[in-house]
Amino acid sequence: GDLGFVVRVAAAEALGRFRGVAAATQVHIGAHGPYKKNPYMTARILQAVGRVGHESALAFFEEPLKGTDPEAAVQAVRAIGDLPLAVAVDVLLREWDRVEKKKGSANDDLKRVYDRMQPEVIRILQRILNEKYPTYVEFQLLWQKRGTALKEKAAAEEKARLAAPPDAAAAKPPLA
């Protein structure tokens, strides 16, 4: 009777707050099965998996990235952008290389996916690295030169983010 998937979306959003918890990632992945044909729920689950940010989700993103649905591939790229910086940049750069190698011999469906996905990869790299480089090559050079320093900075920020309370309401003790 939940036509708008309100309960399911709320559950996915709530589990998405468990940053770095492998079990939350696995629950999302398990819940994805019945909704593979539903683009709305698939997008919400992909977003939640990305927000959890655990590396165990990388295999989960392979299906939409290698499939023939351009929107699912774009949602997967956006979700990967929510993973920890070191993981996200490595995966996105590797994915770009894979697409470039396959692009010449790909069929029309895959070319459509690649054409839709590649600008999104650049946009996500710009967002997470806070740089406005317009090409993949520039991001690759940046990552080679300053990757270690960026990883260290991101790890410190992630550690502080995990140590902080999830929201302002949780930081305040309840009134007696």
Side-chain angles (χ1 to χ4, degrees):
D2 187 12
L3 296 177
F5 301 102
V6 174
V7 174
R8 291 163 185 89
V9 169
E13 294 293 323
L15 275 174
R17 293 187 186 127
F18 288 93
R19 184 80 176 165
V21 178
T25 299
Q26 296 309 314
V27 168
H28 279 109
I29 292 170
H32 180 254
Y35 302 109
K36 282 186 176 183
K37 300 286 183 189
N38 184 328
Y40 175 74
M41 279 302 295
T42 297
R44 294 303 210 134
I45 290 172
L46 283 168
Q47 290 170 357
V49 169
R51 275 194 309 277
V52 170
H54 195 268
E55 295 173 12
S56 65
L58 292 178
F60 176 65
F61 294 125
E62 285 182 21
E63 183 180 341
L65 290 173
K66 293 181 178 177
T68 58
D69 181 7
E71 284 307 311
V74 167
Q75 290 297 331
V77 167
R78 289 178 183 159
I80 290 169
D82 289 334
L83 293 172
L85 182 114
V87 175
V89 173
D90 285 338
V91 169
L92 291 172
L93 292 177
R94 253 193 334 246
E95 190 59 27
W96 184 281
D97 286 337
R98 182 190 70 81
V99 166
E100 283 297 314
K101 287 177 186 171
K102 301 257 183 193
K103 207 174 194 179
S105 63
N107 61 28
D108 290 340
D109 290 337
L110 287 177
K111 284 182 182 179
R112 216 175 2 263
V113 171
Y114 298 159
D115 290 342
R116 178 79 172 88
M117 186 177 71
Q118 284 186 311
E120 191 66 22
V121 169
I122 294 295
R123 194 181 70 73
I124 296 299
L125 286 171
Q126 289 173 339
R127 180 181 58 90
I128 62 178
L129 292 174
N130 201 23
E131 295 286 345
K132 298 299 176 201
Y133 296 134
T135 66
Y136 162 78
V137 174
E138 292 170 316
F139 279 113
Q140 190 177 33
L141 289 172
L142 169 75
W143 193 242
Q144 288 173 354
K145 289 182 179 183
R146 296 191 352 218
T148 306
L150 291 170
K151 286 178 188 179
E152 291 171 2
K153 181 181 174 190
E157 290 173 359
E158 186 74 21
K159 191 173 183 179
R161 179 177 170 187
L162 291 174
D167 58 18
K172 295 179 185 176
L175 297 174

